[in-house]
Amino acid sequence: MLQIRDPYKTTHPETAYQTDDLSIFLNIRGNNEYVKVSYPVKYGIFSRLETREMILEFNLNHEIKHARSKTRHWLHPSEWLKRTVGNDWIYYSSGGYSGVVEAIGEYYLPNFMYATNSLLGGKPFEFPVIADLCSSWQDMMAGIPGALPDMPDPIADWLEKAKSIHGPDLEKKADHLFDISGARATVLPPDARHSDYNLIPLTIADGCLYKCRFCKVKNKKPFTPRSRTDIQQQIQALKLLYGPDLINYNALFLGEHDALCAPKDLILFAANQSHDAFGFAHSFMKTPRMYLFGSVDSLLNADMTLFEALNRLPFDTYINIGLESHDQATLDRIGKPITAEKVSLAFDRMGEINQTFPKIEMTGNFIMDDHLPPTHIQSMLDLVRDRISRPVPKGSIYLSPLRFGKPSREVLYDFYRLKTASRLPMFLYIIQRL
Ligand code: SF4
């Protein structure tokens, strides 16, 4: 029989405790690869506490990670709540599976507590069973008796630690995370879905080049790369903050809005230092990934040697470029200070890089809105349909609705029309923060 070696057997032994009303399993092995499947999958090594009413899952820092009620009021047995490292709760809904995977490339639809640009989903946080679980899981934990006479020591110890971490502690930790990089990342690249947004944020440059009028996620900082010393300090602080749970991570987000514009040596320095310091080579999760944003100008100015070097890194690298529109009238209307001609050149360069480098995927964003000039959609089709001779599986295009909190049937209809015509994979971009 084939014996599968478990390198975590000694450091993270699986331990269980069960009574009629309570079960605790420590160090459960979840999936070690991110997958796209139509049933619930949990990733990494984690622990689970289950009562008659609820299932709570914790990371290796004893911090809550997932929650689900077992009562009949819960919306669907295969849906769950996830708490992010930024201390947001996200409700993963199956959306009945119809259309979700076509629209976002994932089987589960993330629903947020904050306003975003999603065209899909409902308002799960308005259901008391969901809102209550987010706010009162700790009260329920407090009601669980501590060390019972027959409880093994590791279980009793774990329970005491898990019960000692309260809401304000989690909030404080998230604030500390934002302080390390200088600010909360207001938007993560859409490609981060390939790691279920479980990533470590490292800021290598602040701000962006354009300060576009339409943009809701920009800040006032002028584009400024960080120093190597600053990057090293962030890495050390992040290592401490992620702590024992670091082995569940293998994805890096190089922030902020235009890391591609940073000097080539700085990008490579940050990637290599992070890979070593965070121990990605020994992570429980396989296939390290790196995500960054880029702009049209940073892409056009980047030397091909940068991409050659990125392709040699131990990461699969995803670079997301804000193209927004291939139509000059639209670019002018949204206040994006670039030309349609440059967008066209950037689009071609993305295709060239995608064809040349197997470990790099360049992806692009276009905006969507029902108040844009009709030439916007036609000019987008000129690129994603007419400029490519046959369908290609690499180089996803993300369509980002301009308005927050205003789902629109017309925009959704346009999306499906464009998706059908596109020769590149096309998905909706749901803006998610750290
Ligand atoms: S779209 Fe990108 S470049 Fe424009 S303001 Fe927003 S972050 Fe900056």
Side-chain angles (χ1 to χ4, degrees):
M1 200 174 91
L2 179 69
Q3 293 285 319
I4 298 175
R5 207 182 133 261
D6 180 358
Y8 303 97
K9 199 172 169 185
T10 318
T11 53
H12 299 82
E14 291 176 276
T15 313
Y17 172 77
Q18 245 172 321
T19 66
D20 287 348
D21 301 317
L22 174 70
S23 72
I24 298 176
F25 289 90
L26 303 189
N27 299 321
I28 295 171
R29 271 59 167 161
N31 259 38
N32 63 2
E33 286 269 17
Y34 291 103
V35 289
K36 303 190 191 299
V37 288
S38 61
Y39 51 85
V41 171
K42 305 292 169 50
Y43 300 105
I45 301 179
F46 62 94
S47 298
R48 177 181 292 143
L49 179 150
E50 184 166 353
T51 67
R52 287 182 187 273
E53 294 83 32
M54 61 183 180
I55 300 172
L56 306 178
E57 290 168 349
F58 297 78
N59 67 19
L60 295 176
N61 299 332
H62 307 90
E63 297 153 348
I64 191 156
K65 178 95 183 163
H66 301 116
R68 173 166 88 72
S69 165
K70 288 165 74 181
T71 65
R72 65 186 171 83
H73 303 293
W74 194 248
L75 306 192
H76 193 284
S78 70
E79 299 182 348
W80 70 96
L81 280 161
K82 172 184 170 183
R83 193 187 65 87
T84 68
V85 72
N87 202 32
D88 281 326
W89 283 105
I90 298 176
Y91 183 80
Y92 279 75
S93 69
S94 63
Y97 302 122
S98 57
V100 171
V101 68
E102 288 81 8
I104 64 168
E106 305 294 319
Y107 282 90
Y108 281 90
L109 178 71
N111 296 268
F112 307 108
M113 298 177 93
Y114 50 91
T116 184
N117 62 347
S118 183
L119 297 176
L120 306 168
K123 295 186 173 164
F125 290 98
E126 290 184 0
F127 286 85
V129 67
I130 293 173
D132 289 351
L133 189 55
C134 295
S135 61
S136 64
W137 63 271
Q138 276 173 325
D139 299 339
M140 300 184 215
M141 284 275 287
I144 298 170
L148 296 166
D150 60 338
M151 203 177 249
D153 286 348
I155 300 272
D157 183 48
W158 178 88
L159 185 59
E160 192 189 328
K161 286 184 178 142
K163 283 171 75 168
S164 73
I165 298 175
H166 299 107
D169 303 318
L170 298 172
E171 240 170 76
K172 212 167 135 194
K173 187 161 180 183
D175 287 342
H176 180 44
L177 173 66
F178 308 147
D179 287 344
I180 290 171
S181 53
R184 177 177 218 163
T186 50
V187 58
L188 296 171
D191 309 301
R193 67 189 176 89
H194 299 308
S195 303
D196 199 22
Y197 292 87
N198 295 327
L199 41 76
I200 302 178
L202 176 69
T203 299
I204 65 164
D206 292 289
C208 65
L209 295 180
Y210 304 139
K211 311 295 177 202
C212 316
R213 199 168 54 237
F214 79 96
C215 177
K216 291 194 177 67
V217 295
K218 63 178 176 272
N219 55 40
K220 292 197 169 118
K221 295 179 237 173
F223 179 80
T224 318
R226 297 278 182 101
S227 67
R228 286 185 178 219
T229 308
D230 179 278
I231 289 170
Q232 271 170 326
Q233 283 168 349
Q234 285 184 66
I235 290 173
Q236 289 314 314
L238 288 163
K239 221 176 134 177
L240 281 177
L241 183 126
Y242 280 75
D245 202 41
L246 198 54
I247 62 160
N248 283 324
Y249 285 82
N250 70 343
L252 180 70
F253 165 50
L254 294 186
E256 286 183 299
H257 299 302
D258 195 353
L260 187 61
C261 198
K264 171 187 161 189
D265 289 353
L266 196 71
I267 299 173
L268 299 173
F269 172 79
N272 282 317
Q273 292 277 317
S274 299
H275 189 272
D276 290 351
F278 298 143
F280 284 161
H282 313 291
S283 169
F284 178 78
M285 300 302 296
K286 306 299 165 217
T287 321
R289 294 190 173 93
M290 181 166 80
Y291 303 100
L292 57 151
F293 285 117
S295 63
V296 164
D297 279 286
S298 64
L299 174 60
L300 294 177
N301 293 333
D303 197 280
M304 221 42 171
T305 57
L306 167 65
F307 300 101
E308 285 163 10
L310 288 174
N311 197 52
R312 286 194 297 269
L313 289 177
F315 291 98
D316 283 0
T317 297
Y318 294 81
I319 307 175
N320 181 252
I321 306 292
L323 300 169
E324 323 307 358
S325 182
H326 183 218
D327 172 47
Q328 195 58 53
T330 303
L331 291 168
D332 294 344
R333 183 178 296 185
I334 65 172
K336 181 124 193 155
I338 54 172
T339 61
E341 195 189 343
K342 274 193 173 179
V343 171
S344 170
L345 290 171
F347 182 84
D348 288 343
R349 188 128 208 254
M350 289 163 62
E352 189 191 340
I353 293 166
N354 279 333
Q355 278 181 18
T356 313
F357 301 108
K359 281 168 68 75
I360 303 176
E361 180 163 356
M362 304 291 308
T363 66
N365 300 335
F366 285 90
I367 52 164
M368 294 207 79
D369 193 63
D370 33 17
H371 292 96
L372 294 176
T375 39
H376 170 59
I377 287 201
Q378 186 49 51
S379 64
M380 201 191 313
L381 284 171
D382 291 345
L383 296 181
V384 301
R385 180 190 60 193
D386 303 339
R387 198 166 290 186
I388 301 166
S389 57
R390 58 186 166 76
V392 284
K394 193 178 169 196
S396 292
I397 295 296
Y398 292 93
L399 300 191
S400 180
L402 269 188
R403 288 182 229 202
F404 277 39
K406 292 224 169 97
S408 154
R409 275 185 184 280
E410 291 73 33
V411 175
L412 196 57
Y413 174 77
D414 281 344
F415 162 72
Y416 282 115
R417 197 160 60 90
L418 278 160
K419 184 177 170 76
T420 307
S422 174
R423 291 189 167 134
L424 290 170
M426 188 174 272
F427 303 104
L428 287 173
Y429 183 177
I430 303 177
I431 289 183
Q432 180 166 339
R433 69 187 182 187
L434 181 67

